[in-house]
Amino acid sequence: RLLTSKRAPREEPAVPILYYFPCQRWLAVEEDDGQVARELVPVDEAFVKKDSENDGQSPATLGLEQKAKSTTYTVKVKTGDKKNAGTDANVFIILYGSKDDTGIVSLKASKINKNKFERGKVDEFTVESVDIGDLKKIKIGHDNKGNSTGWFLEWVEIDAPSLGQCLKFPCGRWLDKSEDDGATERIIFPAELQTVEYIPFVPYEITVYTSDIFGAGTDADVFIVLYGSDGICTQQKSLCLNKREQRMYFERNSVNQFIVELEDVGDIIEKIRIGHKGGGLNSGWHLDRVTIRRLLPNGK
């Protein structure tokens, strides 16, 4: 008797999916927002190819595409005013939201103090992440490394412009192996009565064109204010994060693009105010034009 077997038809191999995760930003304590790790989200392949064809866009455009899909948090940390309250250890934080969490973020570059986490001081950091939803809790701690590791944490304050919320996370405890319960990290929940609500910010894509004439560029701190209808306006916002960026951008005949979270002035921008704060050797600036695009939540 002849036995035959039925073989399943061969499946064609699936076409591999290629994901593009551009960065084009610094991972350095002294650069950009001071973060040494970033969350990257995929962008459309056509966008990558368009940029690679050198069609006049800045190489940093890909990084801006990432930034448009992210949200920025301002994190303030208060070290208690007690003896030996400060720490030399490496401090980290994790923000937990209703959708996701940020993962471990190292708090390395304080915007206020060169020596961070000193007794009685407030330090400020920028944390950038994809949308994690409403903030529910945080975990903060340190790696217990260094000469003076014990830390008394008074509180953490997180300003989330995209949510229109500023939340306070009270602690008032030691993060120290030889103090309190010996824990070097803590999970903290926001104090609801101390939460400040305001109108959520939205991201704007701001493109600045510096003129092509002698001496047109500037190293000054450039700022912008947007005005909508009914007298609504944004706060005055610097376009550069630090002095290094001020030296890099706004050169003669240059095009610089920024993603900035600002108060929502509505669908119509009636006027803008743009200028600089002077100072330095080359502060004078010849501005050609500015274009502004209000981005939707999905970065379009």
Side-chain angles (χ1 to χ4, degrees):
R1 186 179 177 186
L2 183 62
L3 296 177
T4 59
S5 61
K6 291 186 177 179
R7 298 177 104 186
R10 289 183 61 185
E11 293 185 2
E12 292 296 323
V15 177
I17 300 174
L18 188 59
Y19 293 90
Y20 293 87
F21 294 88
C23 184
Q24 299 287 347
R25 296 181 64 187
W26 284 98
L27 283 76
V29 173
E30 303 298 331
E31 305 288 355
D32 203 334
D33 58 4
Q35 291 301 324
V36 295
R38 298 197 180 280
E39 287 190 353
L40 302 179
V41 293
V43 302
D44 186 80
E45 177 185 359
F47 189 94
V48 178
K49 288 185 175 179
K50 179 182 178 185
D51 191 82
S52 65
E53 288 168 0
N54 193 23
D55 60 352
Q57 296 186 57
S58 163
T61 308
L62 290 172
L64 290 166
E65 177 77 358
Q66 289 279 2
K67 197 167 184 178
K69 294 183 178 181
S70 302
T71 186
T72 301
Y73 304 91
T74 298
V75 178
K76 292 184 178 179
V77 180
K78 171 68 182 294
T79 299
D81 191 8
K82 292 177 177 286
K83 184 179 180 180
N84 299 322
T87 185
D88 296 328
N90 297 303
V91 176
F92 69 87
I93 193 170
I94 305 173
L95 279 54
Y96 295 90
S98 55
K99 299 178 183 177
D100 202 350
D101 65 73
T102 61
I104 296 175
V105 178
S106 297
L107 299 181
K108 288 185 174 292
S110 173
K111 290 187 170 182
I112 300 175
N113 305 305
K114 186 174 182 180
N115 295 321
K116 54 191 182 295
F117 308 123
E118 295 290 313
R119 174 179 174 174
K121 299 291 186 180
V122 176
D123 291 288
E124 183 178 316
F125 305 88
T126 298
V127 173
E128 197 173 285
S129 169
V130 295
D131 181 19
I132 62 172
D134 295 332
L135 277 174
K136 297 297 185 183
K137 63 182 180 181
I138 64 171
K139 180 188 283 187
I140 188 166
H142 62 77
D143 63 0
N144 203 44
K145 293 182 179 179
N147 295 324
S148 177
T149 59
W151 185 34
F152 190 89
L153 172 61
E154 196 71 57
W155 49 256
V156 177
E157 181 183 276
I158 299 180
D159 189 8
S162 63
L163 300 175
Q165 287 185 329
C166 186
L167 301 96
K168 197 73 162 281
F169 295 80
C171 181
R173 296 181 68 179
W174 286 96
L175 284 75
D176 189 341
K177 284 197 170 183
S178 60
E179 296 281 356
D180 204 330
D181 60 358
T184 58
E185 60 182 46
R186 300 200 180 278
I187 292 177
I188 314 174
F189 295 88
E192 292 186 11
L193 294 179
Q194 296 184 57
T195 298
V196 177
E197 304 269 354
Y198 56 91
I199 298 173
F201 284 23
V202 297
Y204 289 89
E205 178 189 88
I206 300 173
T207 307
V208 180
Y209 298 79
T210 298
S211 303
D212 186 16
I213 64 172
F214 180 76
T218 184
D219 293 334
D221 184 5
V222 173
F223 63 81
I224 194 167
V225 182
L226 312 186
Y227 295 84
S229 56
D230 301 322
I232 299 174
C233 70
T234 69
Q235 62 183 329
Q236 181 172 299
K237 181 74 171 181
S238 292
L239 294 178
C240 293
L241 294 171
N242 51 47
K243 290 187 180 297
R244 181 186 175 280
E245 288 193 358
Q246 290 173 210
R247 292 191 297 269
M248 280 178 55
Y249 300 143
F250 313 118
E251 296 292 305
R252 173 180 174 174
N253 194 32
S254 66
V255 180
N256 301 119
Q257 202 168 60
F258 306 87
I259 303 294
V260 183
E261 286 183 315
L262 294 167
E263 295 91 338
D264 189 355
V265 298
D267 294 329
I268 299 175
I269 300 175
E270 292 196 342
K271 65 179 181 179
I272 68 170
R273 181 169 179 261
I274 187 167
H276 63 76
K277 299 176 182 178
L281 296 175
N282 302 298
S283 60
W285 184 34
H286 197 285
L287 173 63
D288 184 66
R289 66 189 189 277
V290 178
T291 64
I292 298 177
R293 188 161 62 107
R294 180 172 173 262
L295 301 177
L296 299 175
N298 62 359
K300 298 295 184 182

